C-alpha cells in the first residue's frame, strides 16, 4: 500500500504555512496571509486531484474547478482589501508576537485541510470509473453556485460602500447586508456544504459521509460561531451607541435572512 496522497497534502499544507510564517515573522507583516491561504487551497487540492488521477472524471473536474475558482477569487480579494486599507486590524498584536503568529499560521493549515476534507476523500477513495454525475452532484453544485454568488456580491457591495467618502465611519445596511448582517459568511458556509453534498453522494457507506462532514461542520463552526462573535463584538464597540445600528441589529438576522 502506497503512501496516502491525503497525507502528502497535509505535509505540503503545513510546509507552506511554516515557510511563509518565517517570512511573515521576519518582515512583521500580515499582508500576504490571505493570499497564501488561497494559494494553499489551490496547491493542496491540485496535489490530490492530479496524484489520484482524477482529471478525466466530470465530477472530479467540476469539484476541482469550483474550489480553485473560489480560492483564487477570495485570496486575491482579501489581499487587495488589506493592501488598500494598509493593514489587517486582526494582526495588530499578532504580527509582533512570534508565538501568536506561529499559532495563526498553523491555524490556517488546519483551516485549509479540514475544509477540503470531503473533496480530498472523493479524490482519494471514490470509485468514479465510468460514472456520470448523479442528481446529487448537480444539487451540490447549484448550492455551491448560490453560496459563491452570495459571497462575491456581499464582498463587492461592502467594498463599494466603504470606498465612498460619505460612508466613512458608517456601517453597511444595504443590498444583501439589509437581510443578513454577515451575508459573505453565509455564502461561504453555503458553498462548502454544496461541495460536501456533491462529494458524498458517490459514497454508500454511512461512515464515509459522517467523517467527510467534518469539512462543512468545521467551516460552519469557524465562521458561523467563532468569527461571527468576534465581528459582532467589534461592531458593537464601534457602533454600539448608534441608534440606527441598534435598530439594524434588532431587525436584521445575524446570518440566515429571516431565520437566524
Amino acid at each position: 500500500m502506497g503512501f496516502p496522497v491525503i497525507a502528502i497534502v497535509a505535509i505540503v499544507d503545513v510546509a507552506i504555512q511554516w515557510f511563509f510564517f518565517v517570512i511573515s515573522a521576519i518582515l512583521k507583516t500580515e499582508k500576504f496571509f490571505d493570499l497564501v491561504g488561497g494559494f494553499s487551497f489551490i496547491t493542496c487540492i491540485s496535489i490530490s486531484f492530479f496524484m489520484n488521477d482524477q482529471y478525466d472524471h466530470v465530477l472530479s473536474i467540476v469539484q476541482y474547478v469550483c474550489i480553485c475558482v473560489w480560492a483564487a477569487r477570495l485570496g486575491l480579494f482579501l489581499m487587495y482589501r488589506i493592501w488598500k486599507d494598509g493593514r489587517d486590524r486582526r494582526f495588530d498584536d499578532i504580527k509582533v508576537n512570534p508565538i501568536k503568529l506561529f499559532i495563526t499560521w498553523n491555524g490556517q493549515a488546519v483551516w485549509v485541510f479540514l475544509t477540503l476534507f470531503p473533496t480530498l476523500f472523493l479524490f482519494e477513495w471514490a470509485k468514479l470509473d465510468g460514472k456520470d454525475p448523479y442528481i446529487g452532484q448537480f444539487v451540490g453544485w447549484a448550492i455551491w453556485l448560490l453560496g459563491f454568488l452570495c459571497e462575491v456580491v456581499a464582498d463587492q457591495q461592502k467594498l463599494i460602500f466603504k470606498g465612498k467618502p460619505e460612508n466613512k465611519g458608517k456601517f453597511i445596511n444595504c443590498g444583501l447586508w439589509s437581510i443578513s448582517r454577515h451575508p459573505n459568511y453565509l455564502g461561504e458556509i453555503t458553498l462548502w456544504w454544496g461541495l460536501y453534498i456533491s462529494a458524498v453522494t458517490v459514497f454508500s457507506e454511512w461512515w464515509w459521509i459522517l467523517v467527510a462532514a467534518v469539512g462543512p461542520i468545521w467551516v460552519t463552526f469557524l465562521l458561523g460561531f467563532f468569527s461571527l462573535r468576534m465581528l459582532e463584538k467589534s461592531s458593537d464597540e464601534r457602533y454600539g451607541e448608534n441608534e440606527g445600528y441598534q435598530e439594524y441589529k434588532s431587525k436584521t438576522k445575524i446570518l440566515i435572512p429571516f431565520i437566524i
Side-chain angles (χ1 to χ4, degrees):
M1 184 175 181
F3 197 62
V5 174
I6 196 170
I8 297 174
V9 169
I11 293 170
V12 171
D13 180 24
V14 173
I16 291 172
Q17 311 312 318
W18 285 11
F19 174 79
F20 283 102
F21 153 72
V22 174
I23 299 175
S24 179
I26 292 173
L27 300 178
K28 290 184 171 57
T29 182
E30 78 288 6
K31 290 187 176 180
F32 51 79
F33 181 81
D34 291 309
L35 183 63
V36 173
F39 168 76
S40 300
F41 270 99
I42 294 174
T43 301
C44 289
I45 203 61
S46 294
I47 291 172
S48 180
F49 180 72
F50 289 106
M51 290 190 69
N52 284 304
D53 296 330
Q54 295 292 352
Y55 41 81
D56 55 354
H57 301 290
V58 174
L59 170 56
S60 300
I61 293 171
V62 175
Q63 198 85 357
Y64 174 69
V65 170
C66 284
I67 291 174
C68 289
V69 167
W70 168 83
R73 202 287 308 182
L74 185 63
L76 291 171
F77 171 78
L78 293 176
M79 185 193 72
Y80 167 76
R81 190 180 67 181
I82 291 171
W83 281 79
K84 183 174 179 289
D85 294 343
R87 66 187 178 96
D88 186 337
R89 290 191 301 270
R90 299 173 302 171
F91 282 80
D92 286 348
D93 296 327
I94 294 174
K95 63 186 177 184
V96 294
N97 186 317
I99 295 177
K100 289 184 179 180
L101 191 62
F102 183 68
I103 293 173
T104 301
W105 278 98
N106 279 278
Q108 179 155 265
V110 174
W111 171 53
V112 171
F113 187 71
L114 291 185
T115 301
L116 289 175
F117 238 41
T119 305
L120 292 176
F121 278 32
L122 171 72
F123 290 171
E124 187 113 8
W125 290 295
K127 306 297 183 183
L128 298 176
D129 291 338
K131 290 184 179 180
D132 294 324
Y134 302 107
I135 185 64
Q137 273 88 65
F138 291 107
V139 170
W141 295 333
I143 293 173
W144 174 88
L145 181 60
L146 178 65
F148 180 74
L149 291 175
C150 180
E151 183 177 38
V152 171
V153 171
D155 283 341
Q156 194 62 28
Q157 286 177 341
K158 190 171 186 179
L159 188 68
I160 294 173
F161 180 88
K162 292 180 67 177
K164 296 180 178 179
E166 62 268 27
N167 291 329
K168 185 176 181 180
K170 296 181 180 180
F171 63 92
I172 181 172
N173 60 353
C174 56
L176 293 178
W177 300 83
S178 67
I179 58 174
S180 170
R181 302 208 297 272
H182 302 279
N184 53 340
Y185 280 10
L186 173 62
E188 185 159 335
I189 292 170
T190 300
L191 69 87
W192 287 114
W193 276 104
L195 290 182
Y196 164 76
I197 292 171
S198 61
V200 300
T201 48
V202 302
F203 292 110
S204 57
E205 299 88 350
W206 64 268
W207 60 275
W208 279 110
I209 297 173
L210 288 179
V211 174
V214 168
I217 290 173
W218 162 253
V219 174
T220 303
F221 168 75
L222 186 65
L223 298 182
F225 294 93
F226 182 73
S227 295
L228 219 56
R229 290 177 62 185
M230 292 178 61
L231 286 176
E232 285 290 299
K233 181 180 178 182
S234 176
S235 294
D236 287 343
E237 291 174 352
R238 296 181 65 187
Y239 310 113
E241 298 181 0
N242 185 316
E243 292 183 5
Y245 176 71
Q246 292 300 331
E247 183 180 358
Y248 170 68
K249 281 191 67 175
S250 66
K251 293 182 178 181
T252 310
K253 297 300 182 181
I254 189 171
L255 190 63
I256 304 176
F258 317 113
I259 300 177
I260 298 176

